[in-house]
Amino acid sequence: MDVLEAIALNPKYHDVLTILKGFRNGIVYGTRIRFPHALVMAFLFKSGTTMDKFRYVFRATKQHAQNLGTFATIYKVAMFVQKKLNGNKQADIHTFVAGLLGGYFVFGENNAINQQWTKRKRDWPKIVLYIFARVAIALVKVPVKRQVIDAPQHTYPVFAAVSWGLVMYLFHRDEDTLQPSLRASMQYIYRDSDSWDSLRTLIWHNK
């Protein structure tokens, strides 16, 4: 344990260990926010046996946690590589490129988990966001309809990549413009994973 503690606190390994903690924070955060939501949705709205409902909760939670953990890993690796290639200096554009890669490979799949939008019609600001999201998804399908390309899987990954590239760039440069809960989740996953003061706060606890 003393050896592991020494490695955890050695500045030489800091950049590499941020990748490990980024993955850990993504998994924890994804589980924490998805599990209670999936549990409520399963037992209020899903049909089937109790076991079927628990299987749904497990699958939904696993997918969400896996997505956030994998994205954080890709993002951190891309940031690390770009920094090394740039003379050990981080540039603003690095966040966009890293977010672009993570968005493409993790959120580029057109599935239900990646397309969660609110349906609370009484909340008018969310209606605008809901419509904006639907318009954006429709625009992804337009090139397919016009036969510019032959399949939606060619446009959706680009849409996801650009969206994640932009949000990571904004978080780095102008984080106060982002919605507070989104900002808080990104702080936990991507910024808190840059610091720790022991093996315990690297692996078991965020702080």
Side-chain angles (χ1 to χ4, degrees):
M1 293 300 293
D2 290 340
V3 173
L4 293 176
E5 185 86 19
I7 292 174
L9 297 179
N10 190 333
K12 177 181 177 181
Y13 303 113
H14 179 271
D15 287 349
V16 173
L17 290 175
T18 62
I19 299 169
L20 173 64
K21 188 166 183 183
F23 175 75
R24 178 261 177 207
N25 281 15
I27 292 291
V28 171
Y29 193 86
T31 301
R32 194 168 69 188
I33 64 172
R34 184 62 179 171
F35 177 77
H37 177 267
L39 191 65
V40 171
M41 294 298 291
F43 282 90
L44 286 182
F45 303 109
K46 291 285 183 181
S47 58
T49 66
T50 300
M51 188 55 66
D52 289 336
K53 293 176 181 179
F54 277 118
R55 288 194 188 98
Y56 164 78
V57 172
F58 174 77
R59 286 195 304 269
T61 302
K62 177 186 174 184
Q63 182 67 60
H64 201 86
Q66 182 177 299
N67 279 0
L68 291 182
T70 304
F71 179 88
T73 302
I74 293 174
Y75 178 79
K76 292 280 187 178
V77 169
M79 291 292 291
F80 175 77
V81 171
Q82 289 178 100
K83 182 180 177 181
K84 293 300 180 184
L85 293 176
N86 195 43
N88 222 31
K89 298 177 183 176
Q90 182 176 306
D92 292 339
I93 192 64
H94 292 172
T95 57
F96 176 75
V97 174
L100 197 77
L101 291 172
Y104 184 88
F105 288 109
V106 179
F107 294 97
E109 183 180 352
N110 193 352
N111 59 42
I113 297 295
N114 291 342
Q115 291 192 47
Q116 295 175 56
W117 310 105
T118 181
K119 295 183 180 179
R120 292 177 59 194
K121 306 298 190 295
R122 65 182 180 276
D123 193 343
W124 74 264
K126 290 186 178 180
I127 291 178
V128 176
L129 295 176
Y130 178 82
I131 294 301
F132 175 80
R134 295 309 180 191
V135 168
I137 292 295
L139 288 174
V140 171
K141 298 176 181 177
V142 167
V144 180
K145 180 181 178 182
R146 302 277 174 82
Q147 298 183 339
V148 176
I149 59 176
D150 60 0
Q153 61 263 33
H154 295 151
T155 55
Y156 190 83
V158 175
F159 168 65
V162 172
S163 297
W164 277 92
L166 288 173
V167 79
M168 298 312 298
Y169 179 82
L170 286 170
F171 180 64
H172 175 69
R173 286 298 304 272
D174 300 284
E175 65 174 277
D176 57 311
T177 62
L178 296 174
Q179 196 263 351
S181 63
L182 173 61
R183 194 164 65 238
S185 68
M186 296 178 76
Q187 171 73 34
Y188 181 89
I189 298 173
Y190 309 111
R191 194 165 287 161
D192 287 357
S193 59
D194 286 339
S195 60
W196 55 89
D197 57 14
S198 66
L199 183 63
R200 177 177 175 272
T201 53
L202 171 65
I203 302 295
W204 306 114
H205 294 276
N206 185 44
K207 290 183 178 179

